[in-house]
Amino acid sequence: MSETPMPLPCPLCHASPLTPFTEVRGRRYLRCGTCAVTVLDPAQLPTPEEERAEYGLHRNDPGDPGYRRFLAQATDPLLERLLPGAEGLDFGSGPGPAIAAMLGERGFAVRNHDPLFHPDADALARRYDFVTCTEVAEHFHHPAAGFAQLDGLLKPGGWLALMTGVLYDDAGFAGWSYIREISHVAFYRPETLAWIAGRFGWTLEMAGRNVALFRKG
């Protein structure tokens, strides 16, 4: 007689067990009943080698006007809130660190960290007036640890500019282009973002459909 598998705890809030949400093209997705995060079944998470191969298909050129316009969805509202001389970190800067270039042109010093392309332990040992995290949170295998790390990187009063595809439409999930990349494994509903803000004592402003600005208390 086979044993019933133990329910998996939510990797973000740890408050509720994950329950089946849906299956798309053989990939199983689970949902938390407390924070509403939706995640890929941990048994199907991609390996670092698979992730690196997928990232190699991206063309993130810091000089590409289209890519800059895409990132400006997060950087433009952030710039409106920064004081002169603010220093920041681009967390998950990728192979082409465009945000550091874009904000550097506006007079702000920005360091880069990316575990695959720009690992910088020294950068992670400091705290910043602002942190950008664009198209990164959906890659978190361990969202609780990821957001706790972001919290630790912020000074009191600091800003976190988070850009990720927000899951507004459960009914359209199977056809959502955002789930097609194998490295996209965690998806956040608006109530998930609100839960994250409450967990860390951050305030939350939605600066766009897929851009959340958090301010650390």
Side-chain angles (χ1 to χ4, degrees):
M1 181 176 179
S2 61
E3 295 183 3
T4 302
M6 292 291 292
L8 297 170
C10 173
L12 177 58
C13 72
H14 305 306
S16 298
L18 296 171
T19 57
F21 175 63
T22 191
E23 182 171 329
V24 183
R25 293 182 289 276
R27 286 159 63 86
R28 298 181 298 275
Y29 296 92
L30 311 173
R31 163 82 48 97
C32 175
T34 296
C35 69
V37 72
T38 302
V39 297
L40 183 68
D41 185 330
Q44 296 183 308
L45 289 171
T47 66
E49 293 75 22
E50 290 171 327
E51 290 181 315
R52 182 183 286 274
E54 184 180 83
Y55 299 152
L57 301 175
H58 295 182
R59 294 294 177 262
N60 298 339
D61 181 357
D64 178 7
Y67 186 46
R68 283 181 168 234
R69 284 193 298 272
F70 175 70
L71 295 175
Q73 296 176 83
T75 59
D76 281 357
L78 174 64
L79 282 165
E80 295 173 1
R81 293 159 173 82
L82 296 182
L83 297 175
E87 296 182 346
L89 172 72
D90 186 16
F91 184 89
S93 53
I99 285 181
M102 293 167 63
L103 297 187
E105 292 163 4
R106 301 291 294 272
F108 295 98
V110 181
R111 298 187 67 162
N112 294 305
H113 169 74
D114 189 282
L116 291 179
F117 301 102
H118 296 280
D120 187 344
D122 181 63
L124 297 180
R126 301 180 55 197
R127 294 201 295 172
Y128 299 89
D129 301 303
F130 66 91
V131 174
T132 57
C133 183
T134 60
E135 297 297 302
V136 173
E138 64 276 9
H139 300 276
F140 285 165
H141 290 198
H142 306 286
F147 283 100
Q149 185 174 30
L150 291 168
D151 181 61
L153 290 166
L154 287 169
K155 295 178 181 178
W159 289 95
L160 168 63
L162 179 80
M163 183 163 72
T164 188
V166 178
L167 176 53
Y168 291 97
D169 179 19
D170 281 354
F173 185 85
W176 192 23
S177 61
Y178 212 61
I179 69 171
R180 293 176 187 165
E181 294 199 29
I182 63 167
S183 61
H184 288 188
V185 300
F187 308 95
Y188 310 89
R189 288 190 52 80
E191 56 265 40
T192 314
L193 299 175
W195 184 91
I196 292 167
R199 163 65 180 84
F200 293 102
W202 300 340
T203 59
L204 167 62
E205 301 176 46
M206 291 304 296
R209 181 174 176 81
N210 296 313
V211 176
L213 294 180
F214 297 99
R215 193 175 191 191
K216 182 171 180 172

